[in-house]
Amino acid sequence: SYAEIYVADGVTAEAIAPGAAYTPLTAFNTAQGHNGLSNFLTADKSGSRIVIPPTSAGRYLCTFTIAGTTDDDCNMKIAVFLDGVEQSQIHAESFMSSGILLDAAGSGFLEVPGTGAGVVTLGASHDQVGAVNLTETFINFSLHFIGAIP
């Protein structure tokens, strides 16, 4: 089981709110966003998410890469969320100079217990006082089933 959503040649800026809270990344829901390959999991570009169906409990490898620019200097953090809960083991952070390309990647394992239903998303935060506009030129976000929970 696997799924992927991605952005190719993105041009839409997203306002990332200030503070420690993460802003969901929604660049997938643009003309440059695409549903990638998927099998059993749901690639949902319009929802900027990957959906794990019920009865799919298990361990998953989650990966993301992102390239883009901002309109202000900042430390940009990217995190993975499972059902709205930040996954502390899957993050990336990069210092971004205004107009200079950001390149960040993250990967790690998710454990989806119980019924297995879940929604996996990406979010961003930064250290500036005001909102920072992030334009994601390229993003690849994927989830791969690797096995049952022992």
Side-chain angles (χ1 to χ4, degrees):
S1 300
Y2 53 86
E4 165 192 61
I5 55 178
Y6 66 95
V7 173
D9 297 318
V11 295
T12 305
E14 294 188 65
I16 307 301
Y22 283 81
T23 299
L25 294 181
T26 59
F28 303 102
N29 189 22
T30 65
Q32 293 80 33
H34 305 277
N35 288 325
L37 298 175
S38 65
N39 180 34
F40 197 63
L41 304 180
T42 302
D44 180 11
K45 84 164 201 105
S46 64
S48 297
R49 62 193 187 166
I50 296 173
V51 179
I52 302 167
T55 69
S56 298
R59 292 186 172 156
Y60 293 82
L61 173 63
C62 181
T63 65
F64 69 87
T65 59
I66 181 171
T69 59
T70 61
D71 64 352
D72 198 358
D73 294 352
C74 66
N75 279 321
M76 186 68 67
K77 297 177 184 176
I78 310 294
V80 170
F81 292 79
L82 173 61
D83 293 328
V85 177
E86 180 180 351
Q87 302 299 295
S88 60
Q89 73 279 20
I90 313 174
H91 282 86
E93 183 174 5
S94 182
F95 179 77
M96 299 182 69
S97 295
S98 179
I100 305 296
L101 184 68
L102 152 78
D103 221 353
S107 66
F109 297 105
L110 293 175
E111 192 166 272
V112 182
T115 64
V119 174
V120 185
T121 57
L122 288 176
S125 71
H126 61 81
D127 62 352
Q128 289 299 319
V129 174
V132 171
N133 289 315
L134 172 63
T135 302
E136 299 100 329
T137 308
F138 296 97
I139 305 176
N140 183 283
F141 179 37
S142 62
L143 196 62
H144 314 269
F145 180 77
I146 58 167
I149 298 171

